[in-house]
Amino acid sequence: MLSRLAMLSSAAFAVSGALASEPFPSTYQAPAGPPVLIQGATLLTGTGERIDGADVLIADGRIQSIGKGLVAPAGARIVDAKAKWVTPGLIDIHSHLGVYASPAVKGLDDGNEATSPVTSNVWAEHSVWPQDPGFETALEGGVTTLQILPGSANLIGGRSVVVKNVQGATYQAMKFPGAAHGLKMACGENPKRVYGEKHQAPSTRMGNVAGYRQAFADAQDYQQQWD
C-alpha cells in the first residue's frame, strides 16, 4: 500500500520532470544514415499551412529545412514525392500497443494489473513488448510517437511511458528521451464493471469517486508524514 501511495503522491513531480533521476533511462539513438531530400511533395506543415511542390531536407535524424528548390547535400538520398503527400508524424496519445500485443492471447495480455482498484505503483513500460507487430502496423499508418498506458480496469491504473515508434530490442531503446510520464486514471464504467463483477468496490460511479477521494487523501497523509 505504501509503495502505491508513494507513487501516487509523487505523480505530479514525475509529470513535471522534477524527479532527480530516471530509472530505466532511455537508450534511444537516432539511426545513422545519409541525408534525405524529399522533392516535389504536397506538404502539410501541421500548422494549417499547405505547400505545393515542397522539398524537405532531413539530416542527422531531424528535419533541417523545408521549401522549394532545396539543394541536396553530397551523398544525399533523393525521394521523388511528386503526386504524394508529406505530413508530420502522428502522435498517439492513448495507446495500448506493446502491453496488449498481437496476437491477442493471455500470455501477451499485460495492460491491466486488475488486482486492486488503485495500482499507481505499476509502470506500463515494464509490460511493453518491443516486438509487438502492432508497432509496424501503426508506423505504416503514420504513427511515429506513442504514449502507452495501462488499461482502464482500475481507478488508478499506473504510470504511462512515451516511446518512439522505432525497432528496438528493448523498450528502453524506444523510450522517448526526456518525455514526461503520465498517470492513467479510468473515470467511468470500466472500474465499476471489473470490480463490481468481483462483488467489491467500486461497483458504482459514486464508488469510483469515493475510491479516488480516499486514494488522494491517503497519498496526502503519506506525504505529510514524510514532510
Side-chain angles (χ1 to χ4, degrees), residues 9 19 21 23 33 47 54 68 77 84 101 127 132 143 146 155 159 169 179 183-184 200 220:
S9 63
L19 291 180
S21 62
T47 63
K68 296 185 178 183
R77 176 188 169 203
K84 295 181 172 62
S127 283
D132 180 1
V143 177
L146 309 96
L155 298 174
R159 197 176 83 163
L183 186 68
K184 174 63 181 289
Q200 69 178 85
Q220 184 179 50

Side-chain angles (χ1 to χ4, degrees), residues 16-71:
S16 68
L19 291 180
S21 62
E22 170 71 11
F24 310 103
S26 170
T27 59
Y28 169 78
Q29 295 286 333
V36 177
L37 180 61
I38 302 172
Q39 292 183 322
T42 301
L43 173 66
L44 302 181
T45 66
T47 63
E49 182 182 10
R50 167 176 167 167
I51 305 175
D52 294 313
D55 300 339
V56 180
L57 177 62
I58 303 169
D60 300 322
R62 292 181 176 273
I63 296 174
Q64 302 296 328
S65 57
I66 61 173
K68 296 185 178 183
L70 298 182
V71 178

Side-chain angles (χ1 to χ4, degrees), residues 11-185:
F13 298 101
V15 170
S16 68
L19 291 180
S21 62
E22 170 71 11
F24 310 103
S26 170
T27 59
Y28 169 78
Q29 295 286 333
V36 177
L37 180 61
I38 302 172
Q39 292 183 322
T42 301
L43 173 66
L44 302 181
T45 66
T47 63
E49 182 182 10
R50 167 176 167 167
I51 305 175
D52 294 313
D55 300 339
V56 180
L57 177 62
I58 303 169
D60 300 322
R62 292 181 176 273
I63 296 174
Q64 302 296 328
S65 57
I66 61 173
K68 296 185 178 183
L70 298 182
V71 178
R77 176 188 169 203
I78 307 297
V79 177
D80 183 359
K82 292 182 179 65
K84 295 181 172 62
W85 295 74
V86 174
T87 74
L90 302 178
I91 301 173
D92 185 349
I93 63 169
H94 187 137
S95 177
H96 299 301
L97 289 180
V99 298
Y100 284 121
S102 304
V105 296
K106 186 61 179 175
L108 300 176
D109 182 356
D110 287 311
N112 273 312
E113 181 59 40
T115 54
S116 170
V118 177
T119 56
S120 47
N121 57 315
V122 303
W123 298 0
E125 63 196 80
H126 295 141
S127 283
V128 172
W129 182 42
Q131 287 75 45
D132 180 1
F135 285 121
E136 183 175 355
T137 302
L139 187 61
E140 290 173 353
V143 177
T144 59
T145 304
L146 309 96
Q147 178 180 213
I148 300 174
L149 303 119
S152 299
N154 297 343
L155 298 174
I156 303 173
R159 197 176 83 163
S160 71
V161 64
V162 179
V163 301
K164 289 177 174 287
N165 197 1
V166 297
Q167 291 184 346
T170 68
Y171 80 85
Q172 286 174 266
M174 302 173 69
K175 204 170 177 181
F176 199 116
H181 299 284
L183 186 68
K184 174 63 181 289
M185 298 178 66

